[in-house]
Amino acid sequence: GLHAQVKPAATRGSDIQIGAEFSLASPDYRPDRLRGFGFYLTDDFRRHWGLEANFHQLNDPNSKINIFERTYEIGPRYSFHFGPFRPYAKMMAGRGVFQFPPDPLHPANGPVANLAYTIFSGGVGADYRLKPHINLRADYELQRWSAFPPNGLSPRVFSVGIAFHTR
């Protein structure tokens, strides 16, 4: 008799990239802009779904003020596929460290403190496959530091980057 044979479903491994980026930010603390760098890691374990982790170090170019924002975030991302482009949206949570400026009454004492806050963020961007193992990235993120005094902090961060891509 005839025996039906079923081929195993195609398996798809993780789609991983690790990259570095240059970032500009509107810190929502003062009118100045912050600039700095970051690193990111993505693992797209399904066709559209994945996980992203990132780090940003954003510094005030005015050395007299010397504020900075440093963030550590992780969360899910959803991506689309259009040829070499992979637009995505992400929701993240993590910790943000803020370096406060010197006390105006005692500027010689240097920055007042750096304090850590729980943060939440949403973002959109696109990865572009430049070569089989090299991706370029443009990314926009809106962060919310809810416990930041007096009414929270909502920095906006724009980044461009390059990543090594495993697939």
Side-chain angles (χ1 to χ4, degrees):
L2 297 174
H3 291 43
Q5 290 186 350
V6 176
K7 288 185 179 179
T11 58
R12 183 183 188 293
S14 286
D15 187 352
I16 296 172
Q17 68 176 338
I18 183 166
E21 57 193 357
F22 171 75
S23 302
L24 294 172
S26 172
D28 190 32
Y29 182 75
R30 45 186 302 123
D32 297 339
R33 298 277 184 253
L34 303 181
R35 62 178 174 240
F37 63 93
F39 299 101
Y40 59 96
L41 171 71
T42 64
D43 179 0
D44 292 333
F45 47 84
R46 297 254 191 255
R47 176 157 171 78
H48 296 288
W49 287 101
L51 190 67
E52 179 164 336
N54 69 35
F55 165 83
H56 284 112
Q57 174 68 42
L58 301 163
N59 302 302
D60 188 341
N62 179 348
S63 62
K64 292 178 204 161
I65 303 301
N66 202 28
I67 68 169
F68 69 73
E69 293 177 359
R70 179 180 301 143
T71 57
Y72 309 85
E73 301 171 281
I74 191 166
R77 74 183 217 139
Y78 187 86
S79 61
F80 303 91
H81 303 266
F82 297 105
F85 287 96
R86 183 175 286 181
Y88 60 85
K90 61 184 181 176
M91 296 297 296
M92 304 182 80
R95 294 291 278 174
V97 177
F98 189 88
Q99 174 71 52
F100 286 89
D103 179 347
L105 301 176
H106 305 96
N109 292 342
V112 174
N114 61 33
L115 300 175
Y117 300 90
T118 299
I119 63 171
F120 298 95
S121 64
V124 294
D127 293 317
Y128 173 76
R129 179 154 310 151
L130 181 65
K131 297 197 176 259
H133 294 287
I134 302 294
N135 283 353
L136 300 179
R137 165 177 278 207
D139 183 87
Y140 174 80
E141 190 174 294
L142 177 60
Q143 300 173 349
R144 180 70 180 148
W145 302 41
S146 57
F148 193 91
N151 300 313
L153 192 70
S154 298
R156 295 180 311 276
V157 182
F158 176 74
S159 303
V160 292
I162 188 166
F164 175 76
H165 183 256
T166 62
R167 192 170 247 244

